[in-house]
Amino acid sequence: MNIPAQRVLVTGGAGFIGSAVVRRLVRQGRQVLTYDKLTYAGTLTSLAEVHNQPGHSFLEADICDGTAFRAALAEFRPDLVMHLAAESHVDRSIDGPGDFIRTNIVGTYTLLEETLAYWRGLDAPARGRFRFHHISTDEVFGTLGAEGLFREDTPYQPNSPYSASKASSDHLVRAWFHTYGLPVVMSNCSNNYGPYHFPEKLIPLTILNALEGAPLPVYGKGENVRDWLYVDDHASALDLIATRGKLGESYNVGGNNERRNIDVVRTICAIIDRVKPDANIGPRENLIRFVTDRPGHDARYAIDASKLTRELGWVPAETFESGIEKTVRWYLDNPGWWEPLKARYARQRIGLAT
Ligand code: NAD
Ligand code: DAU
C-alpha cells in the first residue's frame, strides 16, 4: 500500500478545484504549499479555511517563472506536486489564446524541467516516493455524438485553443515520463461544479444572474451535453490518483451525470424559485435567452471512469441533484465570496471570435 505524500505542492491552489484540493489535504493533516499567481481566477478568499493553519503556506508566483519554482521546490521539499494551475475558460481562449499557450504549455514545460532537476537531486528513498500529478480535462478528447464515452485510450482531438493547450501539456507530461523517467500520473476530468466556482462559468453565472433577475444566456439551442461532477468528488479522486495511481498512466474522472445545458439551467431556476422566490422577478425560467452559439462548440462530453473505480476504488459521493442543491445554497449563503469577483469578468458575452 502507498503511503500518502506528506508534503504537497499544489499549483493553482487558489482556484476553484485547486482550493478544494488544498482544503482537503490540510484537513487530513498534510503539509501544503499553494503556489499560485493569483490571476483574475485566483483568490485567497477561497483559502480562508486554511489561512493561518500550521499545515498551509502560500506563495504568489507564476508557473512560467522557473527560478521561483526552483526556489519553492528547494525550500518546501515536496514529495508530491499536484499541478492544477491553468487558464481554464474556453470563451476566454477564443478571444485570447496567447495566455493559454503561455501558462498551460510553457508553464507546464517549465514545471517539468524544474521538477526533473529537483527529483534527480533527491536521495534514493525520496526519489522513490516522489510523484508529479498533472490535472487535465476531458476536453482534450474533442466531442462525442449521441453515443459512446471518453476512455483513457480515446484519441486526442481538441477543438478549442483551451483544449489544444491542455492536450499539449498532457503530451509533454507523458513525454517527460517516457524519456526522462520522471514519476508522473495524469488525470482527465469532466465538468466540475460546486462552491468557489468562478462566476464566469455556466453554473455559477446562471445562479448569480437568476438571483438578481438578469438574463440567463444559453448558447445555441442549449442541447450541448456536459457530464457534471461535484468538485469535492474530483478532489477525492485526485487524492487517490496522486497517491495510488500507476506511474505513467492516466485516469478519467467523471460523475456519470450527463445533462443538456438547458436542463441544467432550468434545474437551477427551479431551485432558486423554491428557496428564494421573488415576486418582482417572477419564475426564473422566463429569464432564459438563447444566444449565438460558441464557435467550435463541442456537442457532448461523457466520461467512462470505470478504470478509476475498478483499480483505485473511487466512487463519487454526490448525485447531480444533491450537488446542485448544495451549490445553489452555498452561493446564497456566501455573497461575501462572489460579490467582489463580479468586477473581474466582463458581464457581457465574450468568445464569439469576432
Ligand atoms: P481556475 O481558473 O478556477 O483556477 C486556476 C488557478 O490557476 C487560479 O488560482 C489562477 O490564479 C492560477 N493560475 C493561472 N495561471 C497561473 C500561472 N501562470 N501561474 C500560477 N498560477 C496560475 O481553474 P479550475 O477550474 O480550478 O481548474 C483547475 C485545473 O483543472 C486546470 O488545469 C483545468 O484545466 C483542470 N480542469 C478543470 C475542470 C473544470 O470543470 N473546471 C475540469 C477538468 C479539469
Ligand atoms: O469538461 C471540462 C471543462 O469544463 C474544463 O476543462 C474547463 O476548464 C471548464 O471551464 C469547463 O468547460 P466548459 O466550456 O464545458 O464550461 P462552461 O461553464 O464555460 O460551459 C458549460 C456549457 O455551457 C458549455 O456547453 C457552454 C455553455 N454555456 C456557457 C456559458 C458561460 C452557456 O450556454 N452559456 C454561458 O453563459
Side-chain angles (χ1 to χ4, degrees):
M1 198 182 117
N2 304 62
I3 298 159
Q6 293 309 320
R7 301 186 65 78
V8 189
L9 188 159
V10 181
T11 75
F16 168 45
I17 302 169
S19 67
V21 170
V22 170
R23 289 190 298 274
R24 178 185 175 89
L25 298 178
V26 173
R27 276 181 210 147
Q28 291 171 341
R30 305 212 242 162
Q31 296 290 316
V32 179
L33 171 64
T34 298
Y35 183 106
D36 197 296
K37 187 185 174 185
L38 297 182
T39 67
Y40 81 93
T43 167
L44 288 178
T45 54
S46 300
L47 293 171
E49 179 188 314
V50 297
H51 185 60
N52 285 337
Q53 296 256 349
H56 183 251
S57 49
F58 175 77
L59 179 66
E60 183 174 341
D62 191 330
I63 58 166
C64 299
D65 181 346
T67 309
F69 194 68
R70 193 180 316 147
L73 290 171
E75 195 176 318
F76 183 67
R77 313 294 297 167
D79 42 22
L80 170 65
V81 172
M82 297 179 78
H83 172 36
L84 294 101
E87 287 292 339
S88 69
H89 190 40
V90 173
D91 291 334
R92 285 184 190 247
S93 83
I94 294 168
D95 289 341
D99 285 346
F100 290 72
I101 305 303
R102 179 181 176 278
T103 286
N104 299 358
I105 305 177
V106 179
T108 301
Y109 159 71
T110 306
L111 298 192
L112 288 168
E113 281 291 76
E114 295 302 333
T115 305
L116 180 63
Y118 166 75
W119 174 70
R120 284 177 168 162
L122 294 172
D123 61 30
R127 211 177 313 132
R129 270 196 313 272
F130 182 83
R131 280 154 173 251
F132 180 96
H133 180 180
H134 178 59
I135 284 81
S136 190
T137 170
D138 61 354
E139 298 200 11
V140 299
F141 300 121
T143 186
L144 291 164
E147 301 291 318
L149 300 171
F150 293 136
R151 293 159 41 97
E152 285 78 5
D153 57 3
T154 300
Y156 275 34
Q157 246 174 1
N159 291 319
S160 72
Y162 163 69
S163 54
S165 70
K166 291 296 293 187
S168 307
S169 63
D170 289 9
H171 292 319
L172 290 174
V173 173
R174 187 184 157 81
W176 258 246
F177 171 75
H178 284 282
T179 304
Y180 306 109
L182 185 69
V184 308
V185 283
M186 296 163 276
S187 54
N188 296 81
C189 186
S190 61
N191 287 63
N192 285 215
Y193 69 102
Y196 303 101
H197 201 181
F198 191 81
E200 67 190 341
K201 307 280 173 72
L202 176 69
I203 287 185
L205 182 131
T206 301
I207 296 171
L208 298 192
N209 284 13
L211 279 177
E212 69 177 39
L216 308 178
V218 173
Y219 299 171
K221 294 180 178 158
E223 284 170 356
N224 303 65
V225 171
R226 299 291 182 264
D227 182 357
W228 294 97
L229 181 67
Y230 193 69
V231 65
D232 290 342
D233 282 327
H234 189 190
S236 74
L238 294 178
D239 195 359
L240 269 179
I241 295 163
T243 308
R244 292 177 36 214
K246 282 196 200 122
L247 293 182
E249 298 219 357
S250 73
Y251 294 82
N252 279 358
V253 190
N256 203 13
N257 278 311
E258 286 183 59
R259 295 286 184 285
R260 295 187 311 162
N261 292 337
I262 186 63
D263 296 329
V264 169
V265 172
R266 287 194 180 124
T267 301
I268 293 169
C269 289
I271 298 173
I272 299 183
D273 285 349
R274 173 165 44 82
V275 298
K276 187 103 176 152
D278 187 320
N280 293 323
I281 296 173
R284 266 55 175 221
E285 265 205 51
N286 294 344
L287 300 168
I288 292 174
R289 301 286 178 274
F290 293 97
V291 298
T292 308
D293 209 351
R294 175 184 276 174
H297 200 174
D298 287 334
R300 176 172 165 257
Y301 303 147
I303 281 276
D304 177 351
S306 58
K307 174 179 175 184
L308 178 58
T309 301
R310 194 175 55 248
E311 294 188 8
L312 305 183
W314 177 77
V315 274
E318 302 291 343
T319 63
F320 186 70
E321 286 64 35
S322 63
I324 196 71
E325 178 90 23
K326 269 181 157 172
T327 302
V328 171
R329 288 180 184 276
W330 186 87
Y331 279 88
L332 282 172
D333 292 343
N334 289 279
W337 180 81
W338 50 261
E339 200 68 71
L341 300 182
K342 281 189 164 175
R344 294 195 185 184
Y345 64 105
R347 304 204 59 217
Q348 59 189 32
R349 184 67 192 278
I350 61 164
L352 284 170
T354 44

